Amino acid sequence: MDQQTTEVYYHAVILENMKSREDIIRSLSAYLLEKGYVTEQYQPATLEREEIYPTGLATKPIGVAVPHSQAENVKRPAIIMGISKNQVAFHEMGNADSEIDVGVVFLLALKKENAHLNYLRNIVNFCKIEENIIRLYKSKSDQDAYNVLVTEILCE
């Protein structure tokens, strides 16, 4: 499910058969590239940035990650949330030696410097409540996940 609101495009998808963080980032990035929201450099730059500055958050009971790239790789702002039925390892933000099993990924493609900080705050505030992350992870459809993303996480 997707929508364009307040100049940022939102989309949510249930991901099947993901085996690594690279699989998830590639899948979500490819969708944004196909829709014209990012450049071809977005995917490799996001993968590279994730190695240097990990974005895994140790939310319980399901980890969350918030990978993103530099603004120069974004044509139009977008946020895509992927729920991976196979949890995959991401390195923890602020502690690259630690790995977290992640089931929910918010891929941010934003143009303004530090624009991701407001979204990150909303994501963390929602996901720090165990019942919220469990309910989100158990979304039965893209539409269900999208509704939570827009009305409860991003509060649009």
Side-chain angles (χ1 to χ4, degrees):
M1 206 58 237
D2 57 72
Q3 184 174 334
Q4 175 88 30
T5 55
T6 63
E7 300 180 21
V8 178
Y9 172 81
Y10 303 131
H11 183 71
V13 62
I14 308 290
L15 299 166
E16 303 288 339
N17 305 314
M18 297 289 116
K19 300 203 181 330
S20 68
R21 66 182 169 270
E22 292 85 3
D23 286 349
I24 292 175
I25 292 171
R26 283 186 192 110
S27 177
L28 298 177
S29 296
Y31 178 86
L32 292 181
L33 178 63
E34 177 184 314
K35 295 289 187 182
Y37 285 90
V38 298
T39 67
E40 289 188 16
Q41 293 76 34
Y42 181 86
Q43 178 185 305
T46 302
L47 288 167
E48 181 179 329
R49 187 184 188 290
E50 188 65 28
E51 287 300 315
I52 299 167
Y53 304 106
T55 64
L57 301 171
T59 53
K60 300 290 180 197
I62 298 152
V64 170
V66 192
H68 51 282
S69 179
Q70 296 81 3
E72 66 205 36
N73 299 315
V74 177
K75 292 180 181 179
R76 296 181 294 161
I79 297 174
I80 182 169
M81 178 181 67
I83 298 174
S84 177
K85 292 309 175 182
N86 296 330
Q87 293 183 38
V88 302
F90 272 75
H91 292 285
E92 184 176 10
M93 184 184 295
N95 183 9
D97 293 334
S98 176
E99 285 193 338
I100 298 166
D101 289 332
V102 167
V104 181
V105 175
F106 297 87
L107 186 70
L108 308 181
L110 302 169
K111 291 187 74 66
K112 294 179 183 169
E113 283 300 314
N114 297 319
H116 68 285
L117 297 177
N118 288 332
Y119 289 106
L120 184 59
R121 184 185 65 240
N122 289 354
I123 290 165
V124 168
N125 286 340
F126 178 86
C127 294
K128 70 183 176 185
I129 299 169
E130 286 188 27
E131 294 80 17
N132 286 351
I133 195 73
I134 292 168
R135 186 167 42 86
L136 178 62
Y137 189 71
K138 289 183 175 180
S139 294
K140 300 276 188 232
S141 68
D142 293 357
Q143 179 66 53
D144 289 346
Y146 174 81
N147 289 341
V148 173
L149 173 67
V150 173
T151 63
E152 297 184 47
I153 301 172
L154 303 178
C155 302
E156 290 292 325

